[in-house]
Amino acid sequence: MRLDKYLKVSRIIKRRTVAKEACEKGLVQINDKVAKSSSEVKVGDILSLTFGEKTVKYRITDIKEHVLKNEAKELYESVQ
């Protein structure tokens, strides 16, 4: 699945266009490498997102095309 679509489906970022812009600005990394919005993600990848001065990391645990809002958090887990 494309990175920008995954960020939207998992509700880490609310809109796909915002996810795409974050990728273009270099704010999103996959396994410590700057990622484009078209990059493919797979289970086990570590996503790093920079929001202002804060960086958050998530491990992808599942990939689905469609999920309900309350099931979105099952697609990833926080990493310290």
Side-chain angles (χ1 to χ4, degrees):
M1 177 181 287
R2 286 176 54 107
L3 175 59
D4 57 348
K5 184 171 182 181
Y6 179 81
L7 291 171
K8 181 206 176 283
V9 169
S10 65
R11 290 177 171 78
I12 294 172
I13 296 179
K14 301 277 189 226
R15 292 188 204 105
R16 192 166 175 179
T17 54
V18 175
K20 185 177 180 186
E21 290 170 5
C23 293
E24 289 172 355
K25 292 178 183 177
L27 302 176
V28 182
Q29 298 179 348
I30 299 175
N31 299 325
D32 296 324
K33 295 180 183 172
V34 176
K36 295 182 179 180
S37 59
S38 61
S39 300
E40 290 292 317
V41 294
K42 57 189 179 299
V43 174
D45 283 347
I46 305 290
L47 300 180
S48 301
L49 291 91
T50 305
F51 297 109
E53 295 181 11
K54 182 179 177 184
T55 300
V56 292
K57 290 188 176 190
Y58 301 106
R59 177 178 293 114
I60 298 174
T61 57
D62 197 4
I63 295 177
K64 295 182 182 176
E65 291 292 322
H66 304 286
V67 293
L68 299 175
K69 185 176 182 179
N70 58 349
E71 297 174 351
K73 290 195 183 269
E74 298 172 7
L75 299 179
Y76 60 89
E77 62 186 13
S78 294
V79 177
Q80 298 301 333

